[in-house]
């Protein structure tokens, strides 16, 4: 028997990530090739944005996706999030050249308070929320705190692009295929303070750390390359990453819903206190997923260098949280 359609709400649907994301969701890349979807698309209440959204919808129609069971355009979160099973909060103001993420904190806090409240009021009680719009961790925290009747664990932030960037760098360094590499993770904030960590990683079951055997490369090349990749792409394209960000969002939700079969991935999730990260801070952790639930990998040794890096990214997140505290309900 055919599955009932799942409702996927996407904000910022006429933006550049939206343009890479929506077609893949409708194609079944995110929720499975047997899972019909209904797209509920939110854009700002602005003539140009709504017109652009209609254009994207015309193109989606023209793909005649067999799994697309419906599609609606919205300018109000209260209708866009109605009964949503998955909500991808992409819409936000992207950072331009020379702009710091912190500059965007206040403007985006406004958006994510409204959207958190709307999710609280009308979304499915099991809605899985992924925040992509920057600053993603803190925006997810705001949405979570604005939705007290939904389980906090349903609010996540996207660290998967950082995870995939780290994976690609490690594959290039070791000469091993991406598919052979496991047990990689990225701790902390989706910002240059993040800590991509390959100390536990294996390639074809062999330790990656021993293969690379170069702490200077880790500190001086790997960490800055992954940490500043977003800025490097803005510098090169004049626009922030879009197709790779959409791809990471697909990976994040697919793994959350369909499971990782025991393999590690990275998700930005509300801390449960693991590794000394204060409860409710949205932090990148190594996780596995099964039956629609994620679980933090426990018991990893945190050496002095790693602790220093984790403290740094935690400090930034704590400061971001303090910066928007007055805006929380
Ligand atoms: P974009 O400017 O091309 O598109 C954003 C869209 O969101 C616009 O169409 C805008 O009208 C819409 N929007 C703004 N506020 C909205 C609201 N309140 N409700 C609904 N829609 C709204 O930007 P983009 O390149 O698609 O990037 C979107 C966000 O994703 C940015 O914040 C960017 O920094 C972030 N990003 C995050 C990651 C990550 O790894 N977490 C990676 C890349 C980009
Ligand atoms: C990225 O990592 O590519 C983006 O988060 C960069 C940005 O600031 O939009």
């Amino acid at each position: 028997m055919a599955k009932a359609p799942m409702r996927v709400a996407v904000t910022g649907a006429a933006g550049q990530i939206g343009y890479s994301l929506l077609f893949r969701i409708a194609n079944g890349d995110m929720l499975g090739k047997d899972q019909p979807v209904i797209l509920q698309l939110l854009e700002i209440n602005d003539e140009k944005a709504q017109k652009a959204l209609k254009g994207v919808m015309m193109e989606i129609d023209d793909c005649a996706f067999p799994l697309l069971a419906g599609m609606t355009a919205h300018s109000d979160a209260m209708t866009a999030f109605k009964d949503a099973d998955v909500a991808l909060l992409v819409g936000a103001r992207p950072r331009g050249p020379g702009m710091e993420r912190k500059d965007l904190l206040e403007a985006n806090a406004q958006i994510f308070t409204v959207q958190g409240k709307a999710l609280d009021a009308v979304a499915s009680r099991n809605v899985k929320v992924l925040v992509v719009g920057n600053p993603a961790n803190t925006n997810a925290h705001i949405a979570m705190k604005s939705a007290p009747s939904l389980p906090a664990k349903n609010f996540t932030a996207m660290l998967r692009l950082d995870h995939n960037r780290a994976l690609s760098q490690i594959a290039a360094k070791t000469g091993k295929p991406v598919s052979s590499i496991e047990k990689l993770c990225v701790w902390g904030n989706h910002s240059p303070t993040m800590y991509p960590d390959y100390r536990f990683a294996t390639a074809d079951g062999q330790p990656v750390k021993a293969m690379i055997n170069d702490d200077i490369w880790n500190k001086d090349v790997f960490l800055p390359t992954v940490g500043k990749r977003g800025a490097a792409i803005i510098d090169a394209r004049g626009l922030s990453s879009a197709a790779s960000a959409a791809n990471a969002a697909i990976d994040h939700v697919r793994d959350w819903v369909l499971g990782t079969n025991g393999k590690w991935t990275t998700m930005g999730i509300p801390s449960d206190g693991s590794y000394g990260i204060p409860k409710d801070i949205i932090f990148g952790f190594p996780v596995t997923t099964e039956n629609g639930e994620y679980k933090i990998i426990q018991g990893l040794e945190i050496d002095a260098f790693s602790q220093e890096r984790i403290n740094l990214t935690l400090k930034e997140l704590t400061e971001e949280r303090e910066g928007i505290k007055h805006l929380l309900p």
Side-chain angles (χ1 to χ4, degrees):
M1 207 176 69
K3 288 182 168 178
M6 284 176 75
R7 293 181 177 273
V8 180
V10 181
T11 76
Q16 50 152 4
I17 293 177
Y19 196 68
S20 290
L21 182 62
L22 300 176
F23 298 84
R24 292 192 56 195
I25 298 172
N27 193 44
D29 294 357
M30 185 171 85
L31 296 171
K33 296 288 185 186
D34 61 346
Q35 177 59 63
V37 291
I38 296 171
L39 291 174
Q40 303 182 171
L41 308 176
L42 180 66
E43 258 297 341
I44 50 172
N45 193 8
D46 162 88
E47 205 178 319
K48 210 165 146 220
Q50 288 294 326
K51 189 172 173 205
L53 177 57
K54 294 282 159 35
V56 176
M57 292 169 75
M58 283 157 68
E59 283 206 66
I60 294 172
D61 274 338
D62 293 349
C63 295
F65 289 115
L67 288 171
L68 188 63
M71 178 166 58
T72 48
H74 303 264
S75 57
D76 178 2
M78 289 291 281
T79 58
F81 294 157
K82 182 93 181 78
D83 299 326
D85 299 297
V86 175
L88 301 174
L89 308 190
V90 179
R93 197 171 144 221
R95 183 177 62 171
M99 235 172 136
E100 277 309 314
R101 289 169 73 262
K102 277 184 183 165
D103 299 339
L104 296 178
L105 205 63
E106 287 242 348
N108 282 309
Q110 222 71 41
I111 296 175
F112 288 86
T113 309
V114 170
Q115 295 188 353
K117 284 182 182 163
L119 285 164
D120 199 50
V122 300
S124 156
R125 299 301 84 187
N126 298 319
V127 63
K128 285 180 161 55
V129 181
L130 169 63
V131 176
V132 174
N134 279 322
N137 297 49
T138 296
N139 288 341
H141 180 82
I142 294 165
M144 175 183 85
K145 289 291 179 194
S146 305
S149 75
L150 294 172
K153 68 179 168 62
N154 294 14
F155 288 81
T156 66
M158 195 163 91
L159 268 289
R160 184 59 176 261
L161 181 54
D162 311 301
H163 179 100
N164 288 348
R165 286 167 172 166
L167 198 51
S168 165
Q169 295 295 323
I170 294 291
K173 179 72 175 172
T174 57
K176 298 282 185 184
V178 160
S179 59
S180 71
I181 298 168
E182 290 184 39
K183 297 189 172 175
L184 189 68
C185 67
V186 182
W187 304 88
N189 200 6
H190 172 68
S191 90
T193 66
M194 74 181 84
Y195 174 41
D197 185 0
Y198 63 81
R199 291 175 304 133
F200 312 102
T202 58
D204 290 327
Q206 301 304 308
V208 160
K209 192 167 186 309
M211 255 174 237
I212 294 175
N213 193 23
D214 186 349
D215 287 348
I216 305 287
W217 179 80
N218 180 37
K219 194 163 155 297
D220 292 350
V221 180
F222 176 68
L223 297 183
T225 300
V226 178
K228 294 181 187 163
R229 188 69 159 188
I233 288 167
I234 290 172
D235 185 49
R237 269 178 27 97
L239 287 168
S240 62
S241 63
S244 55
N247 179 67
I250 297 272
D251 283 351
H252 177 113
V253 175
R254 186 200 56 227
D255 282 356
W256 190 3
V257 173
L258 299 175
T260 59
N261 289 320
K263 293 193 173 158
W264 295 20
T265 185
T266 300
M267 289 172 74
I269 56 175
S271 177
D272 61 358
S274 294
Y275 296 99
I277 307 306
K279 204 165 171 317
D280 279 357
I281 291 256
I282 308 272
F283 204 79
F285 281 107
V287 299
T288 53
T289 65
E290 198 179 357
N291 300 325
E293 302 287 338
Y294 54 77
K295 206 157 68 185
I296 298 174
I297 307 288
Q298 297 293 340
L300 299 174
E301 192 202 326
I302 306 297
D303 60 23
F305 177 75
S306 302
Q307 191 63 60
E308 202 179 295
R309 296 291 310 212
I310 287 172
N311 290 349
L312 191 75
T313 193
L314 175 60
K315 180 169 177 281
E316 183 182 51
L317 276 170
T318 311
E319 284 167 6
E320 286 187 13
R321 190 177 61 171
E322 286 304 309
I324 50 82
K325 219 173 181 173
H326 59 288
L327 297 168
L328 291 179

